[in-house]
Amino acid sequence: MEKRIPDDACQYFNEAMETMTRAEIEALQLERLQATVKHCMQSPFYKKRFEEIGLKPEDIKTLADLRKIPFTTKQDLRDTYPFGIASTPLRNCVRLHSSSGTTGNPTVILHTQKDLDEWANQVARNLWMVGLRPDDVFQNSSGYGMFTGGLGFQYGAERLGMLTVPAGAGNSLRQIKFITDFGTTAIHAIPSYVTRLYEVMKENGVDPRKDTKLKVLAIGAEPHSEEQRKRIEDMMGVKAYNSFGMSEMCGPGVGFECKEQNGLHFWEDYYIVEIVDPETLEPVPDGEIGELVLTTLSREAMPLLRYRTRDLTRVLGRSCPCGRNHVRLDRMRGRSDDMIVLRGVNIFPIQIEKILMQFPELASNYLITLTTDEDNDNMTVEVELEELFTDDYSRLLDLESRIRRALKDEILLTPHIKLVPKGSLPVSEGKAVRVVDKRKVYQ
Ligand code: ADP
Ligand code: ZN
């Protein structure tokens, strides 16, 4: 376990792991996969599953043999709730987290002390990669508690050696006071919350460029478009790096953008990354969108083999000017279960966001509502206006029709558009809720 903090000038937190060649990565993966599979035989769930199909740990001789192992699904975690999938006795576990339950019952993930240490190393690696050093002041606006974004970033930022401010979620005035009083240089936040924070800064006469020392944002935990990122960077006057995590894989730290901002580096010393066709479950070629499947390589309490994340993405490359050869994945489109099927057309909320963010007249908050009206399924997109100009009807109508046209080009359907005053749509403290489905008949 790497605990040493490198010199500030070093580009890498763990140079040996971050700069491995592809051949080195694959050799390490095979070694760690074999050890993981062996260890999984301590899990009643995996032991039974392997026995059922007559697979033995010794049958995993090459990385390609991974495909002999059945997938693990969220349903498996629910069926074995709370501890049935663990590969380590509870006595050796020191922490439990659970997913935020965005798409159903929560699932429980256990950690040993070693798991927590490795997780902190992963997060520290990411924060170091985007230029943060022990002199920085890191403020975490994630909710603490079961949500992994809280403690996950806390321990990672501390591992790096930063002064860490566990501000927690919400209470924007207090956040801003901390930012200015403590000289916060980096914030971790959910993208939808950064916009809110900026609004409150503006209302209180705080200019993030002049009145704060901010230089880096880590944004993640929910899907967001490139356009949304650009807006956030323009508003706050700093770089915003995409951070991917999920509780099943530990939490934040699984994938993170480097300074090139050309996709998320997924750490292949910790995970094997597969992208599969969600229907056939066969691998898709690099560049093609499919479901992300992850196998943990260093987890003790609860290793997961070929876990179907339901997140849709694609491989962008396996090398990078930053010197890291860990696979680069495209920003997530959303989860397969976020996909809206409306009149037979498949639409992701992120496609709608991308269009809306191109209109400077619009603010960042929006809500998609699906209804059945006289046997027809319809979509209404409510979006907040940056400024109120309700007295100028022709301007409103013109804006509405331009948005409708742009959306039609993107999603091939014509939604109703409702322009609403800023601050009138619900804001959640956690992940943003973008879609409300009130249809009578579900596809
Ligand atoms: P829940 O599964 O209940 O939402 P988690 O907190 O474990 O709880 O959420 C993990 C999920 O959040 C991922 O599977 C993914 O869908 C989403 N997510 C996390 N980070 C990102 C990101 N940077 N971009 C898009 N989606 C993300
Ligand atoms: Zn890179």
Side-chain angles (χ1 to χ4, degrees):
M1 194 187 51
E2 182 64 64
K3 268 194 171 170
R4 193 183 55 87
I5 298 173
D7 295 341
D8 280 10
C10 183
Q11 222 188 310
Y12 307 101
F13 188 71
N14 184 340
E15 187 157 4
M17 287 295 159
E18 288 174 62
T19 59
M20 281 187 290
T21 62
R22 288 304 308 172
E24 285 164 347
I25 290 176
E26 285 171 20
L28 181 70
Q29 284 189 322
L30 178 59
E31 191 185 300
R32 291 191 171 180
L33 174 65
Q34 287 170 327
T36 297
V37 170
K38 220 168 165 185
H39 178 52
C40 279
M41 293 307 107
Q42 308 297 315
S43 149
F45 169 83
Y46 280 120
K47 187 164 187 292
K48 182 158 169 266
R49 187 156 273 194
F50 271 58
E51 278 167 8
E52 273 166 6
I53 57 166
L55 188 66
K56 296 198 183 64
E58 309 81 81
D59 297 334
I60 308 301
K61 295 193 173 71
T62 65
L63 274 185
D65 289 334
L66 177 68
R67 290 182 57 197
K68 294 180 179 163
I69 303 174
F71 292 97
T72 307
T73 63
K74 192 139 197 151
Q75 192 57 44
D76 293 326
L77 293 185
R78 291 191 177 129
D79 293 346
T80 54
Y81 177 90
F83 306 135
I85 218 167
S87 296
T88 298
L90 277 190
R91 183 188 163 73
N92 298 341
C93 298
V94 298
R95 177 136 27 108
L96 166 160
H97 272 287
S98 96
S99 76
S100 44
T102 315
T103 59
N105 288 328
T107 46
V108 165
I109 304 295
L110 292 165
H111 300 268
T112 62
Q113 187 56 53
K114 177 174 172 282
D115 290 336
L116 294 182
D117 279 335
E118 289 294 1
W119 180 14
N121 284 334
Q122 274 175 261
V123 174
R125 183 190 289 186
N126 292 331
L127 298 176
W128 190 279
M129 177 165 73
V130 296
L132 297 178
R133 298 292 180 267
D135 285 333
D136 281 292
V137 179
F138 185 87
Q139 185 164 328
N140 188 8
S141 72
S142 274
Y144 278 67
M146 287 298 205
F147 179 51
T148 52
L151 292 175
F153 269 102
Q154 180 69 30
Y155 282 88
E158 288 176 5
R159 172 62 48 86
L160 194 154
M162 286 187 282
L163 173 62
T164 307
V165 185
N171 203 340
S172 303
L173 280 177
R174 201 172 67 131
Q175 300 274 2
I176 295 165
K177 185 168 167 47
F178 289 166
I179 295 170
T180 47
D181 290 359
F182 304 150
T184 299
T185 56
I187 300 184
H188 166 247
I190 292 176
S192 48
Y193 183 65
V194 182
T195 318
R196 171 81 198 129
L197 192 63
Y198 176 69
E199 286 308 321
V200 181
M201 281 184 170
K202 230 170 50 179
E203 281 162 22
N204 289 277
V206 175
D207 177 347
R209 290 164 201 262
K210 292 204 206 104
D211 306 324
T212 76
K213 292 187 176 158
L214 285 175
K215 60 178 199 198
V216 164
L217 292 178
I219 52 170
E222 66 183 13
H224 54 286
S225 54
E226 190 59 40
E227 288 71 14
Q228 172 89 303
R229 182 243 290 275
K230 292 243 164 64
R231 271 196 174 205
I232 287 175
E233 291 188 331
D234 288 347
M235 279 185 311
M236 302 295 277
V238 297
K239 287 278 176 203
Y241 297 98
N242 190 359
S243 156
F244 177 89
M246 69 189 315
S247 8
E248 294 91 322
M249 292 297 123
C250 66
V254 180
F256 212 93
E257 279 178 331
C258 67
K259 285 187 170 173
E260 304 289 328
Q261 295 188 311
N262 57 358
L264 297 145
H265 279 291
F266 268 59
W267 300 116
E268 292 182 90
D269 48 334
Y270 287 113
Y271 307 97
I272 297 183
V273 174
E274 296 174 87
I275 310 284
V276 304
D277 180 320
E279 305 276 314
T280 63
L281 300 178
E282 291 298 318
V284 301
D286 283 4
E288 256 178 50
I289 294 197
E291 180 178 342
L292 172 67
V293 171
L294 295 172
T295 297
T296 64
L297 292 177
S298 76
R299 295 276 296 287
E300 235 176 23
M302 210 156 156
L304 293 176
L305 304 175
R306 304 194 83 199
Y307 183 68
R308 289 188 60 181
T309 66
R310 301 190 288 182
D311 287 310
L312 300 173
T313 182
R314 62 190 174 132
V315 171
L316 293 178
R318 292 172 206 275
S319 63
C320 181
C322 76
R324 298 172 182 87
N325 300 312
H326 294 257
V327 64
R328 284 184 293 111
L329 300 186
D330 203 357
R331 60 178 62 249
M332 305 291 142
R333 299 277 147 126
R335 290 179 173 164
S336 43
D337 28 34
D338 291 334
M339 190 173 76
I340 300 167
V341 184
L342 187 72
R343 298 190 219 147
V345 182
N346 300 347
I347 305 155
F348 280 100
I350 212 78
Q351 289 176 276
I352 293 175
E353 176 181 300
K354 189 176 88 183
I355 300 297
L356 297 178
M357 295 301 122
Q358 286 164 9
F359 288 85
E361 298 92 334
L362 300 179
S364 299
N365 204 2
Y366 65 98
L367 183 68
I368 302 163
T369 308
L370 308 171
T371 48
T372 307
D373 314 303
E374 295 171 3
D375 293 338
N376 270 328
D377 286 343
N378 288 310
M379 175 189 285
T380 303
V381 178
E382 284 173 278
V383 53
E384 292 184 359
L385 283 166
E386 190 53 50
E387 268 171 70
L388 263 191
F389 47 84
T390 31
D391 46 340
D392 192 344
Y393 267 115
S394 61
R395 198 173 153 207
L396 270 179
L397 287 178
D398 170 63
L399 177 60
E400 256 179 39
S401 82
R402 281 187 294 130
I403 297 170
R404 208 175 302 119
R405 267 201 313 271
L407 280 175
K408 169 130 201 262
D409 285 345
E410 173 71 30
I411 63 173
L412 312 174
L413 286 171
T414 313
H416 301 298
I417 307 296
K418 241 174 151 177
L419 301 174
V420 300
K422 202 167 189 175
S424 59
L425 291 175
V427 199
S428 77
E429 253 200 11
K431 305 188 185 210
V433 177
R434 300 300 193 190
V435 182
V436 177
D437 196 339
K438 296 182 180 163
R439 283 177 294 181
K440 289 197 187 112
V441 190
Y442 290 86
Q443 278 92 347

